[in-house]
Amino acid sequence: MLDIKQIRNNPTEVQERLSTRGDYDLTEILALDQQQRELETKRTELQTRSNEVGKAVGQKIKGGADPKGEEVAALREEGNQVKKQLADLEPQERELKEKIHDLVIGLPNLPDPETPVGKTEDDNVEVRRWGDELIPQRNDILPHYEIGEKLGWLNFERAARIAQSRFVALLGDGAALERALISFMLDRHIKVGYAEVLPPILINSASLTASGQLPKFAEESFKCDRDDLWLTPTAEVPVTSLYRDEVLQDSELPILHCAYTPCFRREAGSYGRDTRGLIRLHQFNKVELFKFVKPEESEAAHQALVKDAESILEALKLPYRVLQLCTGDIGFSARKCYDLEVWLPSQNKYREISSCSNCGDFQARRGNIRYKVAGKKGTQFLHTLNGSGLAIGRTMAAILENYQQPDGTIAVPEVLQRYMGDRTVLGKSF
RNA sequence: GGAGAGGUGGCAGAGUGGUCGAAUGCGCCUGACUUGAAAUCAGGUGACUCGCAAGGGUCCGUGGGUUCGAAUCCCACCCUCUCCGCCA
């Protein structure tokens, strides 16, 4: 959530920065804010008087005045008058506040000055590339879903029977490899200082609002009809809310978490895209990285987080590139974002496998996550960062293609072998 | 699902209609003592918000209500804990 004070004090600058992201207009917010503040001044004055009257009555009675006498009755009458006026003002002001809040909560984060200005993904900037020499130089590589079905690892038809299209059932070594990837990634992240979390996967509306999925993107999540609970679209949501409404000590920061969860997305509006395979499913597994940091540390923490995600691809020896997203392509809550894209031979291109965002204090404001510096007065909002480390299904797709052997078997990346019973090659499961 | 207890400041925990934004303890800050630290002693220390300031306002789970005045009384809801039932 943007700071209303910032909007009020620098409307032109905020407007300009928002405009690099899309079509946003502050004029209504500014007008309502002015009205609200005028009402607030009036209301405050009345409340002051009301408090004075209340105290005066107490003092009179304590001083021996007749509680039912004339003196007290006059004060009571004034109290009633003030109350009537307040009863008129208060709902007006509350309504205005709600309107302003509803508008502001719908505004995305301001892009970082370093985020390149652009409209679409075509304006993203490639930052670096790794593993060019590892790109397989063959043209007989089957798409991951074909080889996966041949091996008996992936079954889309039966998954559709169980659920719907855009679901997959993993079987045999496919299931084992998925599990191995989860363990491998978590183990690596834990080793460099991330503390593992296994959060609830059903999450309430307040949690989705804090991280920025609500109110704008309600369409994108699955909702449990009878409860105020949703299926988590990413572990970012429950992990952000781990510390919602808390005041942390500065000595506790930074807090680093990694979390494996399944993720659920409705993929509304992506009908024609990636209809086959593991790239775009309603349910997929992901290991997420998350940091809660002091503002002055967030840029360095962001760079380090991207590196931590990259280290997984490097350990798996999967070729990838790093993009810096432009203002038109960064997520709602992000002010700066890097995507990692892994090489998919069958598509002859890089595909997103991780998205690493610095959200600044945007989510901390929405979730009211603050910290206190020992000995200093007051509190401040911390910064939150998140990134995939990595999306498991897409990693599986990358392995099925990049590690595909001419004979149709799949070589096991060296670092995964100990998670796969020390096998070096995997074949048909059924 | 049934019965009971409870939700108060960074934490713990008093407070049942008036000067209570709230005792006390812990934590934290400053000072004294000390070569230094610990211990001890003295003082200070809630959040949010409006205001240049002086100062004002709001906040005791949430939302209503009673009252001149509510942390305190009434109603509804949410959550937590304990016991019972059911169950992986």
Side-chain angles (χ1 to χ4, degrees):
Chain A
M1 179 149 67
L2 299 185
D3 184 359
I4 185 72
K5 273 188 276 184
Q6 190 185 9
I7 298 175
R8 183 151 68 215
N9 296 333
N10 311 291
T12 320
E13 191 208 331
V14 172
Q15 178 67 68
E16 273 168 14
R17 287 170 75 185
L18 279 179
S19 295
T20 65
R21 302 195 50 142
D23 193 16
Y24 297 97
D25 187 8
L26 297 178
T27 47
E28 188 181 2
I29 292 172
L30 289 165
L32 293 174
D33 179 54
Q34 174 125 22
Q35 284 178 44
Q36 186 267 320
R37 278 153 53 87
E38 280 163 17
L39 281 184
E40 180 173 330
T41 307
K42 281 188 204 159
R43 192 211 72 219
T44 301
E45 283 166 7
L46 287 170
Q47 279 175 331
T48 306
R49 186 57 198 151
S50 171
N51 290 341
E52 284 167 0
V53 170
K55 275 188 185 169
V57 173
Q59 270 167 352
K60 297 263 184 212
I61 293 173
K62 238 185 191 170
D66 176 7
K68 289 183 181 156
E70 227 169 87
E71 241 187 328
V72 173
L75 282 169
R76 281 195 179 153
E77 177 52 27
E78 186 181 355
N80 273 322
Q81 289 301 327
V82 171
K83 201 175 149 190
K84 264 184 210 153
Q85 297 180 55
L86 275 173
D88 186 44
L89 271 187
E90 278 175 339
Q92 284 182 48
E93 195 197 343
R94 204 177 318 129
E95 204 179 310
L96 273 175
K97 271 191 171 160
E98 259 170 49
K99 264 193 204 163
I100 294 165
H101 181 263
D102 289 351
L103 288 170
V104 174
I105 204 90
L107 293 175
N109 201 355
L110 296 181
D112 188 279
E114 283 181 37
T115 294
V117 174
K119 282 200 164 67
T120 68
E121 57 182 25
D122 299 329
D123 301 316
N124 295 337
V125 177
E126 183 173 310
V127 176
R128 58 181 169 268
R129 209 180 260 233
W130 183 91
D132 278 0
E133 68 287 358
L134 297 170
I135 291 176
Q137 301 301 319
R138 291 160 44 199
N139 52 15
D140 62 339
I141 292 177
L142 296 176
H144 68 274
Y145 42 88
E146 280 183 29
I147 188 74
E149 286 183 316
K150 267 193 180 171
L151 292 167
W153 294 8
L154 309 179
N155 197 310
F156 295 96
E157 268 181 46
R158 286 178 172 143
R161 180 153 75 213
I162 300 168
Q164 269 185 13
S165 65
R166 287 202 195 277
F167 283 88
V168 69
L170 297 169
L171 297 110
D173 283 337
L177 190 59
E178 182 95 353
R179 201 154 39 82
L181 282 168
I182 295 167
S183 294
F184 160 68
M185 291 184 197
L186 285 173
D187 287 349
R188 289 212 39 134
H189 296 317
I190 291 163
K191 207 175 276 177
V192 298
Y194 293 85
E196 185 175 356
V197 189
L198 194 56
I201 291 162
L202 290 185
I203 53 181
N204 58 34
S205 297
S207 298
L208 280 158
T209 305
S211 46
Q213 279 74 14
L214 284 178
K216 277 201 106 173
F217 305 104
E219 282 305 299
E220 209 16 60
S221 293
F222 289 100
K223 167 128 209 244
C224 302
D225 228 17
R226 301 172 51 168
D227 308 280
D228 176 34
L229 290 170
W230 309 64
L231 292 178
T232 190
T234 159
E236 174 195 347
V237 180
V239 175
T240 305
S241 281
L242 261 186
Y243 303 103
R244 181 148 50 81
D245 293 319
E246 287 196 34
V247 179
L248 302 168
Q249 283 297 331
D250 65 333
S251 56
E252 298 178 77
L253 299 176
I255 296 175
L256 278 57
H257 284 305
C258 58
Y260 153 70
T261 66
C263 303
F264 302 88
R265 299 189 184 172
R266 298 191 62 235
E267 295 296 347
S270 65
Y271 293 113
R273 296 163 60 196
D274 304 312
T275 48
R276 302 196 64 189
L278 298 171
I279 301 301
R280 197 174 298 278
L281 296 174
H282 287 309
Q283 176 183 342
F284 62 94
N285 293 310
K286 181 157 61 69
V287 168
E288 184 78 357
L289 298 173
F290 206 98
K291 296 187 178 184
F292 299 87
V293 304
K294 296 181 208 167
E296 62 269 26
E297 292 169 357
S298 86
E299 172 56 24
H302 190 201
Q303 299 300 332
L305 187 145
V306 176
K307 281 286 173 197
D308 291 334
E310 285 177 64
S311 81
I312 299 290
L313 286 167
E314 288 172 21
L316 291 170
K317 297 198 163 74
L318 291 169
Y320 70 90
R321 64 174 182 170
V322 182
L323 295 183
Q324 177 162 23
L325 300 196
C326 71
T327 51
D329 206 27
I330 54 175
F332 183 79
S333 300
R335 68 176 211 197
K336 189 172 179 183
C337 180
Y338 297 96
D339 271 10
L340 269 46
E341 295 189 335
V342 71
W343 181 256
L344 273 197
S346 76
Q347 299 186 6
N348 204 35
K349 63 178 174 189
Y350 290 99
R351 293 300 309 256
E352 178 186 340
I353 196 167
S354 170
S355 193
C356 302
S357 299
N358 184 348
C359 296
D361 65 6
F362 187 79
Q363 293 179 322
R365 281 181 189 283
R366 294 170 83 96
N368 193 27
I369 311 171
R370 294 169 295 168
Y371 74 99
K372 187 175 171 57
V373 178
K376 270 199 185 167
K377 223 175 139 51
T379 61
Q380 48 184 318
F381 293 110
L382 46 70
H383 281 196
T384 58
L385 307 141
N386 68 79
S388 342
L390 307 163
I392 306 293
R394 291 183 179 185
T395 308
M396 171 76 85
I399 289 173
L400 278 168
E401 298 191 4
N402 286 284
Y403 279 82
Q404 198 178 119
Q405 309 297 300
D407 65 358
T409 58
I410 306 296
V412 182
E414 209 181 321
V415 290
L416 290 182
Q417 287 171 9
R418 68 183 192 86
Y419 293 88
M420 292 297 293
D422 291 323
R423 286 181 291 171
T424 55
V425 176
L426 303 172
K428 206 163 160 30
S429 275
F430 295 96

